[in-house]
Amino acid sequence: MTTILENVQAVRARIASAAQAARRDPAGVTLLAVSKTHAVDRIEQAHAAGQNAFGENYVQDALPKISALPHLEWHLIGAVQSNKTRVAAENFDWVQTVDREKIARRLSDQRPADRPPLNVLIQVNISGEASKSGVVPAEAAALAEAVVALPRMRLRGLMAVPRPESDTAAQFSEMQALYERLKAQFGFDTLSMGMSDELEAAIAHGATMVRIGTAIFGRRKTESPA
Ligand SMILES: *Cc1c(COP(=O)(O)O)cnc(C)c1O
C-alpha cells in the first residue's frame, strides 16, 4: 500500500504532466484534497505532504475536522441545505456549490463580520440530468450577477461534476467555453472540475482546480448520509 505522502506526490506529478501536455503552467492548477469520510490523522498526513486545501461534502461531518485543523483551507463541495447555511458560512473558506440565489443570499447574510468574504463558486449542472445539483449553463450568468452583488461573498468562478458514464471530455469542454465567456465580466479565476479518474482531461480543458479524493486517501469505505 502506498502512503498518503506518496499519493500526494503522485497526484502532483500527474497534475504537472497534464499541465505540460496542455502547455499550461502547473502552478495554475490548485489541488483540492477531498477528505470526506477520512479522519483527522489522515488529513494531517496529507498536510505534512504540503497539502493545505481540503474539500468536504457534508457540513456536519466537516465541523470536527475544521475545529481540529482550523489553519487549513476548507471547501464545501457538497450541496448546501438552507438549514445548514449558517454553519457553512461560519466555518468554511469556500463554498463551491452555490446554485440558487436564495442560498447565496443566506450565506452572505450569515458570513461572520470578523471573517473575510466567503469564496464562492457557482455549480453548473453540466450533465443535463434534471436530478443533479447546479444551475443549467444558460442560467449561470444571471446567478453570477446576483452573487457578485452580495456584500459578503467573493465570486471566484464555476464548479462542475460531470456525469461519469458519458463523454466527460465533451462536458469539460462545454464548461471551459462557459467559463471563458463569463471570466472577464465577473473576474473569475477558478474553474473547479476533475476528480481522481479524469484530472488529465479536466486540465486539458482549462481546470484551475482539481478535486481529488481516492487518488490521495484511497477508496472510501462508506459515504456518509446527507
Ligand atoms: C467525492 C468527490 C470528489 C472526489 O472524487 P474522487 O473520485 O474520490 O477523486 C470530487 N468532487 C466532488 C464534488 C465529490 O463529491
Side-chain angles (χ1 to χ4, degrees):
M1 235 179 76
T2 54
T3 64
I4 289 175
L5 169 66
E6 289 166 335
N7 292 347
V8 169
Q9 288 170 341
V11 168
R12 290 198 181 284
R14 280 175 67 190
I15 292 172
S17 52
Q20 196 177 23
R23 300 180 191 283
R24 298 181 51 199
D25 180 357
V29 183
T30 300
L31 172 57
L32 182 72
V34 176
S35 49
K36 63 182 174 207
T37 77
H38 298 292
V40 166
D41 66 308
R42 295 170 67 73
I43 297 170
E44 282 175 320
Q45 288 173 46
H47 180 54
Q51 182 60 31
N52 279 308
F54 291 85
E56 289 280 334
N57 288 57
Y58 299 108
V59 173
Q60 292 306 331
D61 288 355
L63 288 184
K65 306 182 196 183
I66 299 176
S67 317
L69 302 167
H71 51 291
L72 302 182
E73 182 181 287
W74 292 98
H75 294 233
L76 182 59
I77 60 168
V80 207
Q81 270 87 41
S82 321
N83 63 351
K84 296 279 165 52
T85 52
R86 180 175 298 281
V87 201
E90 287 174 354
N91 289 279
F92 283 87
D93 301 292
W94 290 62
V95 173
Q96 298 206 3
T97 49
V98 168
D99 64 359
R100 276 176 293 157
E101 190 180 340
K102 181 186 149 202
I103 294 287
R105 194 169 295 283
R106 289 175 69 99
L107 288 167
S108 178
D109 288 348
Q110 295 167 344
R111 180 67 169 172
D114 63 348
R115 297 204 59 177
L118 185 65
N119 295 291
V120 165
L121 300 180
I122 289 175
Q123 183 174 0
V124 179
N125 180 351
I126 207 67
S127 75
E129 293 164 288
S131 60
K132 281 280 173 69
S133 331
V135 287
V136 298
E139 285 165 13
L143 183 55
E145 295 266 10
V147 172
V148 288
L150 295 171
R152 303 289 294 140
M153 321 219 103
R154 184 166 168 220
L155 179 60
R156 303 289 295 266
L158 305 177
M159 178 269 205
V161 183
R163 186 163 42 155
E165 65 278 12
S166 60
D167 186 350
T168 48
Q171 296 171 66
F172 287 150
S173 169
E174 193 185 338
M175 274 305 288
Q176 179 174 30
L178 181 63
Y179 178 75
E180 291 301 331
R181 202 155 64 234
L182 302 182
K183 187 179 168 177
Q185 184 183 352
F186 295 106
F188 287 172
D189 62 8
T190 305
L191 176 56
S192 170
M193 61 184 192
M195 308 194 278
S196 291
D197 291 339
E198 52 189 31
L199 79 83
E200 285 82 5
I203 289 171
H205 290 99
T208 71
M209 184 181 289
V210 290
R211 309 180 306 265
I212 308 298
T214 309
I216 292 176
F217 293 107
R219 296 186 76 88
R220 291 177 288 275
K221 287 189 199 71
T222 51
E223 295 288 341
S224 166

